Amino acid sequence: GVGAAVAASVDGAIAGAGAAAEDGPPWPVALSLAVHPRPLALGPEARSAWHRIIDNVLEGTPCGLCVFATYFPGEAAALLALCRDHGAFCEPPFENPFFLRPGVLSASAQDAALRALDGGHLRFVVLAWTGALGLARRLGGGIGGRFCPQRLGGGL
């Protein structure tokens, strides 16, 4: 079926923060997932390293979608600014609707869940569309392979 055809065309790799800080991805990709980057890291050296990682994520996705997930609202706002400075079209950050929904957990269960998160992840999401795909989104167009001339790992 359709799912099998799509799955057969997906290829991926996982890179840790250290690899991303050095050279970025070894090939261009159409979709990047960045879980809890730290644009507000304390100290100039740490902040510079994280900004390099974020730049590499955006540059490694020359025509596609970067999904950044973070916990703190300030981190989401900082990511939004960094992505826009990089030329990406960004959707407004949105909050994960499943993150501690009111009325679903008791106050004590919410406290326990927050402690289990060890600082928390995946509360806010920033979507950054890059390259011609970002331009198409900015102009109100749809998405599709016709906007990205380069071949992205068997991509779009």
Side-chain angles (χ1 to χ4, degrees), residues 38-40 47 51 54 72-85 93 126:
R38 298 183 57 211
L40 300 177
R47 188 171 294 197
H51 285 208
I54 294 163
F72 300 106
E75 289 177 326
L79 278 167
L80 182 69
L82 286 168
C83 292
R84 286 182 173 163
D85 287 348
V126 174

Side-chain angles (χ1 to χ4, degrees), residues 7 19 25-26 40 42 48 58 76 86 96 100-101 105 121 127 145 150-151 153:
L40 300 177
L42 297 178
S48 176
L58 292 162
H86 204 277
N96 179 349
L100 299 180
R101 291 185 298 185
L105 297 176
H121 299 294
L127 301 177
Q150 66 268 51
R151 185 170 174 81

Side-chain angles (χ1 to χ4, degrees), residues 60-143:
T61 315
C63 187
L65 174 62
C66 299
V67 179
F68 295 94
T70 188
Y71 176 70
F72 300 106
E75 289 177 326
L79 278 167
L80 182 69
L82 286 168
C83 292
R84 286 182 173 163
D85 287 348
H86 204 277
F89 172 78
C90 298
E91 309 285 345
F94 60 92
E95 190 167 5
N96 179 349
F98 299 103
F99 185 85
L100 299 180
R101 291 185 298 185
V104 175
L105 297 176
S106 67
S108 61
Q110 287 186 12
D111 289 341
L114 282 172
R115 282 193 301 278
L117 289 172
D118 188 28
H121 299 294
L122 309 179
R123 181 174 179 186
F124 293 94
V125 174
V126 174
L127 301 177
W129 300 89
T130 60
L133 201 54
L135 179 59
R137 294 288 296 179
R138 185 175 287 118
L139 298 174
I143 60 172

